[in-house]
Amino acid sequence: MAGLRRILIALSVGTALLATPAHAADLQIANGDFDAGLTGWSGSHSPGGVTATTHEGRTVARFDDLDTTKAYGRESQPGLPATAGARYRAHARVWITSGSADLYLRFRDASGTLLASAYTPGTQSGEISVSGTAPAGTAKVSVLLYSGVANTGTAYWDDVLITKDVTDLGVQIESTVPNATTFSGGTAYAVYTGTAATSPQLAVIDLATETVTRTVPIPGATGGWAATTATDGSIYLGTYPASKLYRYTPGGTSVTNLGSAEGGHSFIWDLDAGAGGKVYGGTYNDGRYFKYQNGAFTTIGSVPIWSDEEYVRTLDHDEQANATYLGVGGESAALVRFDNVTGDKSNLLPEPYSVNSMVGNVTWTGGKLFAQVNGTLLVLTVIANADGTYSSSTDATITDAALHLSPARDGKVWFLRDGALTSYDLATKTVQSTTVRPEMDVTGYTWLADGTLAGLGAGTGRTKILKYRPSTGAWSNNAVDGTPILPAAINALGAGPDGKIYTGGYLTGGTGVYDPLRGDGDDMKPDTETLHGLHQTDSIQALDGKLYIGVYPSSKLYQYTGTWPPALLYTGGQAGNIEHDCGQNQGPPPQDRPYALAGAPDGTVYMGGVPKYGKRSGGLTIWKAGSGGTTICAVPGQAIVSLAYAGGRVYGGTSTRGALGVTPVYLPGAEATLFSYDGTQIRTHPLPAAITARTAITALTEVDGLLWGMSGGWLFVFDPATGTYPTVKKVLADPDYVTSQGRAFRDAVLLEVAGAVYGTLGDQLFRIDKTSKNLTVLHTVAGMDGLTADRHGHLYYKAGERLYRYAL
């Protein structure tokens, strides 16, 4: 019964059971839920006294001890592999109707000889646990359920679970959607992003059969957003980090690493082919425009190519004119026509759109220039002026348009608008939607030889191919067989009200669900099927039996109540004014990265984070059922990176780092701020003078009515009742936010568990004594980040694509 119940719960949230694995990440006691009776539990001590039965709708082991001269026990055998020196903890649920019940851990050597044991006596119903450290010579660990000689009574046991001190729970999220696509003939070449530990892959896809014919690893890269087909038929791939360029020769079994674009900065964002085998590209974070030809990289023009903007986010090359159109941005968007002969530059972006931070996509086709800016597709005619400069006139402005569009054919270009396949007629300048709704994000289009439009992209957790015949209106939308399935790095984690640990994927999105201490044995695959439908998750918070999820881009707030996908409650990217940045008489700019969530006792949810590219002011979002949501300014010029509710107010901690694309990254002279909001007014609470690390307050939590926080390596405790700081203490080395700028957005975490405060900062897991405020480092792992706890009180953190448990 208990096993069936767990299956039904798993299916209700969209998860699926996996086959029995070859090895175990979690230590799984065979038949720990007694669904198979007493199988796997050997008798010990006196015979009899133990039966399998049903209690409160569960299959359990019933102990009936009626004899004060006998002891009864059942031990999980054979024991599980154990390591000397490691600490183990066992948990079980027990219902005691009379007498007592004891839970033992037992350590044995390879021959089965008992070396040591530890026990906890149970005197009342509930969860019971016991821990012990394996002595020298230990090979096996087991659990003994026991009723002692002097005891008489009845007890029911179920859900016997065990863990060691540190457990690598493995990959939690998988992705199988393309980030970049290029075409050659009837073949698509798609890039699938990996992680720091798993190389991305190039998939060769036959568009006729809609299957993958070959996958090729891209070693030395983490992922890629750019692909193009050169005039010689070679496939070029732009990757990150270090802006590496790769070449693939169709039919080959490997890619060639061509090195880094000059400067070697983070991303090659886009690529396009030029005459004679040339390839042009653009980078972040130095805003570089470059060329690759005959084995060499050449920087073209200035660095950055336009003003101080850090992004060459998109480009398209006009081979006939030998000019390249560059979509740049960071703080202010620009659409630059660069003459590759003279080096002349002209900004063609209509002035009203320069308040946006970025041009997201540029396409030169059919003699027209198409530019996508914040969901609006501009159709531009490029005008050569008498003085040699260039300008543009606007033919059409199309809202709610997706990022990519097709090459022109028969006088039309095609794209998705509000989910529907739509055409734009170049001659009549008219837009016509179809009834075709493929439910996918297309990353590239091509025309097949028979006049069919083909688009490749991401569906719900799958790669899909859209095919459409304009002449007949016939269409199909099929999943591609054989695409790479790669781990996704974990970006956020949190405990749900159902007791499970939820994880959100970086870049490619996806949500993982882990049932504590019940993980399957394949730590290279998620324990449950990845849930799809959400993009990159930045924060996860349980409140009043619901799970709230903050998602990038556009700071979307979702609510999950057991049915997937979750409900979208609010979109911070649609709030505020793109021209504002919390200046005088201004509101907040649109929000983008929701790093902080907190809840109030009345059900109000607070969300804070980082604004859209090129802005500095994070807004505080207030949402409550029945009243909708709103976003207000908190601390002008600073992002909100931590939140906690205490003393009848929500408190926020800020970061002096602006959004991506701002220059300088840190505003000179700015200091992180602690603020509070009581529903009517923002108040600031200056940090104590003793704190020397004032770049960002990345952790806040409520502990016994007080507010605990971290600013760099400094711990502070704030009393909401008095407005004072009773504790200010340097507990760890200050992080280096100059070389690790991303940590100024999300770094420390504080969490109260079982009477102590735990946290992570700078690759360290630590405990802080609530009375003395002394800090003890418990564990150090490179790349450690995030922190949450399960119902057993164990801690969870992430490192790259893997989830870990630290047993308390």
Side-chain angles (χ1 to χ4, degrees), residues 292-346:
Y292 180 82
Q293 183 181 22
N294 298 328
F297 290 95
T298 304
T299 295
I300 303 174
S302 61
V303 179
I305 189 64
W306 184 259
S307 186
D308 292 324
E309 306 306 331
E310 295 183 341
Y311 287 80
V312 176
R313 177 62 181 83
T314 177
L315 57 84
D316 206 356
H317 181 69
D318 177 0
E319 186 174 325
Q320 183 176 354
N322 197 10
T324 305
Y325 296 99
L326 308 169
V328 303
E331 293 196 59
S332 298
L335 177 56
V336 179
R337 183 189 187 277
F338 187 92
D339 190 309
N340 290 293
V341 178
T342 66
D344 292 337
K345 294 180 281 189
S346 299

Side-chain angles (χ1 to χ4, degrees), residues 364-426:
W364 171 258
T365 186
K368 299 292 181 178
L369 184 62
F370 295 80
Q372 210 266 16
V373 184
N374 197 25
T376 296
L377 181 62
L378 303 176
V379 185
L380 305 174
T381 295
V382 178
I383 301 169
N385 301 317
D387 61 359
T389 63
Y390 285 79
S391 58
S392 68
S393 63
T394 303
D395 291 357
T397 301
I398 306 168
T399 58
D400 299 319
L403 200 61
H404 297 279
L405 67 156
S406 76
R409 183 176 177 124
D410 298 329
K412 293 181 179 181
V413 296
W414 295 82
F415 52 93
L416 293 176
R417 185 187 189 194
D418 196 23
L421 186 63
T422 301
S423 66
Y424 174 78
D425 190 297
L426 297 170

Side-chain angles (χ1 to χ4, degrees), residues 43 102 277 366 435 461 690 770:
D102 301 333
T435 58
K770 289 172 64 173

Side-chain angles (χ1 to χ4, degrees), residues 283-554:
T283 70
Y284 164 81
N285 55 353
D286 62 351
R288 185 182 301 263
Y289 169 47
F290 71 88
K291 175 180 67 176
Y292 180 82
Q293 183 181 22
N294 298 328
F297 290 95
T298 304
T299 295
I300 303 174
S302 61
V303 179
I305 189 64
W306 184 259
S307 186
D308 292 324
E309 306 306 331
E310 295 183 341
Y311 287 80
V312 176
R313 177 62 181 83
T314 177
L315 57 84
D316 206 356
H317 181 69
D318 177 0
E319 186 174 325
Q320 183 176 354
N322 197 10
T324 305
Y325 296 99
L326 308 169
V328 303
E331 293 196 59
S332 298
L335 177 56
V336 179
R337 183 189 187 277
F338 187 92
D339 190 309
N340 290 293
V341 178
T342 66
D344 292 337
K345 294 180 281 189
S346 299
N347 185 7
L348 307 183
L349 187 66
E351 177 59 30
Y353 295 92
S354 63
V355 297
N356 290 276
S357 59
M358 197 90 61
V359 175
N361 190 53
V362 173
T363 303
W364 171 258
T365 186
K368 299 292 181 178
L369 184 62
F370 295 80
Q372 210 266 16
V373 184
N374 197 25
T376 296
L377 181 62
L378 303 176
V379 185
L380 305 174
T381 295
V382 178
I383 301 169
N385 301 317
D387 61 359
T389 63
Y390 285 79
S391 58
S392 68
S393 63
T394 303
D395 291 357
T397 301
I398 306 168
T399 58
D400 299 319
L403 200 61
H404 297 279
L405 67 156
S406 76
R409 183 176 177 124
D410 298 329
K412 293 181 179 181
V413 296
W414 295 82
F415 52 93
L416 293 176
R417 185 187 189 194
D418 196 23
L421 186 63
T422 301
S423 66
Y424 174 78
D425 190 297
L426 297 170
T428 64
K429 303 179 183 179
T430 56
V431 177
Q432 181 66 51
S433 293
T434 71
T435 58
V436 175
R437 305 187 70 86
E439 296 184 351
M440 60 186 288
D441 295 323
V442 176
T443 54
Y445 292 93
T446 190
W447 289 98
L448 302 180
D450 63 356
T452 297
L453 174 67
L456 186 97
T460 304
R462 298 293 305 271
T463 298
K464 286 185 159 185
I465 293 178
L466 165 67
K467 292 180 179 176
Y468 176 74
R469 291 292 296 271
S471 60
T472 65
W475 69 287
S476 63
N477 180 34
N478 297 320
V480 178
D481 294 329
T483 54
I485 301 175
L486 301 177
I490 299 172
N491 194 54
L493 69 159
D498 57 3
K500 297 176 182 178
I501 305 300
Y502 288 80
T503 51
Y506 178 62
L507 287 180
T508 54
T511 304
V513 185
Y514 167 74
D515 196 356
L517 280 69
R518 295 183 173 89
D520 69 32
D522 187 352
D523 59 4
M524 290 306 297
K525 297 278 291 182
D527 293 328
T528 57
E529 184 179 339
T530 299
L531 304 176
H532 298 285
L534 300 185
H535 291 290
Q536 176 178 304
T537 295
D538 283 345
S539 52
I540 300 173
Q541 178 73 47
L543 176 66
D544 291 340
K546 305 175 182 67
L547 190 67
Y548 292 90
I549 306 172
V551 174
Y552 163 88
S554 291

Side-chain angles (χ1 to χ4, degrees), residues 175-180 191-195 198-201 222-225 240 485-488 506-508:
S175 173
T176 180
V177 297
N179 273 5
V191 178
Y192 291 77
T193 284
T195 67
T198 303
S199 294
Q201 292 188 24
T222 297
W225 289 100
Y240 62 88
I485 301 175
L486 301 177
Y506 178 62
L507 287 180
T508 54

Side-chain angles (χ1 to χ4, degrees), residues 108-135:
R108 300 178 185 273
D109 64 16
S111 66
T113 301
L114 181 64
L115 302 177
S117 62
Y119 89 102
T120 295
T123 58
Q124 59 185 6
S125 299
E127 181 170 299
I128 183 173
S129 65
V130 59
S131 64
T133 300

Side-chain angles (χ1 to χ4, degrees), residues 355 554-555 570-583 586-593 609-621 631-639 659:
V355 297
S554 291
S555 283
Y570 187 80
T571 302
Q574 296 175 354
N577 187 321
I578 192 64
E579 299 185 40
H580 291 181
D581 204 358
C582 289
Q586 289 186 348
Q591 301 296 296
D592 214 19
R593 301 172 188 269
V610 178
K612 289 283 187 180
Y613 289 82
K615 302 296 181 178
R616 292 191 177 274
S617 302
L620 177 65
T621 292
T631 300
I632 63 173
C633 291
V635 180
Q638 298 190 21

